[in-house]
Amino acid sequence: MMGIVSLVFLLAGLLFPSPPLNAQSDDPITIGTITGQIQAPNSFLPFTEYLESRLPEHEFEVEGFSTIDALIRAVKDEAVDLAFITPVALAELNLEGELRVLATITQPAGETFSPWLAGTVFTRSSKTDIQTMADIRGRKVIALSELALGGWLSAVRDWQELGINIESDLESVDFQFSYESVIDSVCSGASDAGVIAANTFQNLASRCEESLKILPPAMETGNIDYPLAHSTRLYPEVAFTLAGSNNETFVRDITRAILDIEPGSDIARSVNIGGFTAPLPYTEVGLLMRELRLGPFASVGELTLRQYLDNNIYAVTLALILIIVLISAGLLNSLSLSHKFRNSENYRKSIFEGSHIPMVIVDQHQRTFIDMNIAAVKQYGYQNKDELIGKSLTELSAPDQDINSSIADAFEQYTNKVLTTGRATFEWWHVRPGGEKWLAKIHLMAFESVDGLRIQSTVEDITKQKQREEERSQLEQQLEFSQRMESIGRLAGGIAHDFNNLLTVINGYSEILLEDTPKNEPVARILEQIKKAGNRAAELTQKLLTFSRRQAVHPVPVSLGMIVEDSAEMIKSVLGESIALEVELQDADKKVFADPGQLQQVLLNLVVNAKDAMPDGGDLKITCRESIVSPREASSLEIEAGPYIEMIVSDNGIGMDANISKHIFDPFFTTKDTGTGLGLSTVYGIIQQSLGTIRVNSEINKGTTFSVYLPETDVEQEIQEAEELLINPELKSLSIMVVDNEKEINEYTSSILQKAGHQVIAAESGLEALDLIASLEVPIDLLVTDVVMNGMRGGELAELVSKQYPDIPVLYISGYPEDALALHGIQRGTESFLAKPFSPGQLLNRIHQIIKNPSLA
């Protein structure tokens, strides 16, 4: 009997050795890791020096191994105390004796660090015949290694579930233990598709001159927020493990130390990782290896029990004897196991308390907080735990959530989900005790504790991140609006040109007929109506040009505040007695460089719109003030940074919804029963042409505010004497050539000149004009030409004519907007230019000016 007891204690000593580490050990603690071509020891110094500063009673060193197999042997032989173990190696080692996982590493994933790993299956964008994971059949594939989880195995598992056998269904499989080689092989066309980890692909995809595409996942990846594009389901990253047993004090201290390392810090980068997080479950990795029959799982299910007994009878007999002995030892060790379980719970508790990540424990029945760490107390804005114990998430919630149900129902759904699936992730608005509203991303995870099933909630403040996303979305909407308005502006300019040509004929002939018709004739009234309609059409055309920022303006330094002040009485008469007007003028001496008439038009348009928005009366406030626009504000307003004069027109009328606000500056868009829909589009064009911007903010039943920004100027106005307009000037008979490819314009212009006593030679193209000039015996006195014509343009014609007649003056006519003329070298606003539509008097007056002063041409 004594021999059996001795044997039991001997086996217990072998199975449960005493901890190899203690506070008095003089030997350095060795940390094993994979380095490929082993790094110089000095590269790990930031990491080991940090650990020694946190655990001054110990020394640390990092030992690099060139292969995973070498590191596995070192762990089995207890040649290292701690180790960075890949998920696949961890699953293999856990078959022989479970390693103690202290933490899971994180890797760069976009702008964050993620403890999850996924495989990316990619190909060239030009490979249109490969669009999904199932399209991999019959292809040449390259990967990192047969044992690389993210670089191969994760994809193989998903392909297997799609019915793809990698040995028979692929044309070839090649492995290159180099990330760069995998990328380059796909880029060069040597391989059809490649497989590497998602975070590695993100960093190396730019190596390829041709763009690469990622095949979408074929399997559900779970409710995990993984920020990188990937093709496979998700697995936990590399584990930081304890190789062998250790005392709990050391475990607690080393775990706290590594979890306190700042993600992305020099300490983390010295061991080629992003940082650490609390341990993740690695069960999914073991299932993957079983499904793929890898390593120690290769023979699972191949032998029956009878076959195994027949082949291993002696080993089985010895095993039965050992089992009997172990059962005896287990009886003696049951108290020790209970103690270890309690220590394990204390270990989880120590990690929970020491983590800088906010975490809360929730009771599965009451849905209330039963514990939380200090980081969570600070995150929620409280002083101590007692203030939070017993509260529920619904008590800390903001009333307005982005959900379709009530707050209580929504939280109940998330809680039920985590109890059935193990995890849940969602975004939730909170309110701190001081009233500050903040947005959190909440990760729920169920776990077993001494007291039964519990829910752990990890809380991440993403308020600033959400604000950045909203700002980016706003900038994208503003860009879309600017591009849309630019396209509409080009269209408006083209329409205005065609209208100008038509109106030149309509208005011009109606004026000629009116001059030749006695006023008492019935037809005179008809002609008057035609002329009035034509003039209104010309005004409409000018509004189109103003919107498209192609209308000629006469800007001068002007006080925007003075324009508001001078227009106050007129505004009051427009508003009527039911609307109260308040004007607040600041910095009235500050000026902008703009057309005063156009600014008054802007003001009146905004006032009229405000009046229409207050049919039952209300309040209208107009404010003018100096505003310094910062670079950040300038980016969102799409203007240059610097000093601006801001005019704010605010009413408390019926307001507008977001859809109407989006289109109010579009030409012809109106919500009124009458009107052209050009009022606000004209305002928009004037402000843009004056290098400013306009913004609108409106809510239904709360009113509308328009904010106009115009750049401040210190330019002084130059006083110029106005030239006298000559009415029906008389000139000697001139020989004038008229060139316009619009036949109606040509005939109209010719008839005016002929009626005034001039000799006219008409041509409908530049080439025809050159032929006619060459056949003339007497030189012409003046060339009148359209600017934009088919074939030869007006500027080209004038240049060729001037070679034969150097001193001949030229009068350009055009219905095109200003920017189109500039492309042809014609400066609108000069005496040598006349805009369509023009009256007979305007044409003759301009010719008189050019002939009397040839330098103007």
Side-chain angles (χ1 to χ4, degrees), residues 204-274:
L204 295 179
S206 60
R207 287 178 60 89
C208 190
E209 293 184 0
E210 181 180 352
S211 62
L212 301 174
K213 62 182 177 183
I214 300 174
L215 303 188
M219 305 295 167
E220 280 290 331
T221 59
N223 191 17
I224 299 175
D225 188 13
Y226 188 62
L228 296 178
H230 56 285
S231 306
T232 72
R233 66 190 77 182
L234 303 177
Y235 300 87
E237 267 283 3
V238 169
F240 185 71
T241 62
L242 183 71
S245 63
N246 216 309
N247 64 64
E248 292 298 322
T249 300
F250 173 79
V251 170
R252 182 192 64 223
D253 293 343
I254 188 71
T255 302
R256 283 181 174 175
I258 62 175
L259 288 179
D260 283 344
I261 293 175
E262 188 70 19
S265 64
D266 293 338
I267 297 171
R269 287 200 296 268
S270 68
V271 283
N272 298 319
I273 66 172

Side-chain angles (χ1 to χ4, degrees), residues 5 197 211-212 226 248 261 284 292 319 328 354 373 485 560 588 590 606 644 657 688 690 709 725 729 809:
V5 173
S211 62
L212 301 174
Y226 188 62
E248 292 298 322
I261 293 175
E284 194 69 12
L292 299 184
S328 301
N373 61 7
M485 298 302 279
L560 189 55
K590 306 291 185 180
L606 296 180
Y644 283 77
D657 60 28
Q688 290 285 309
S690 300
Y709 294 83
L725 178 65

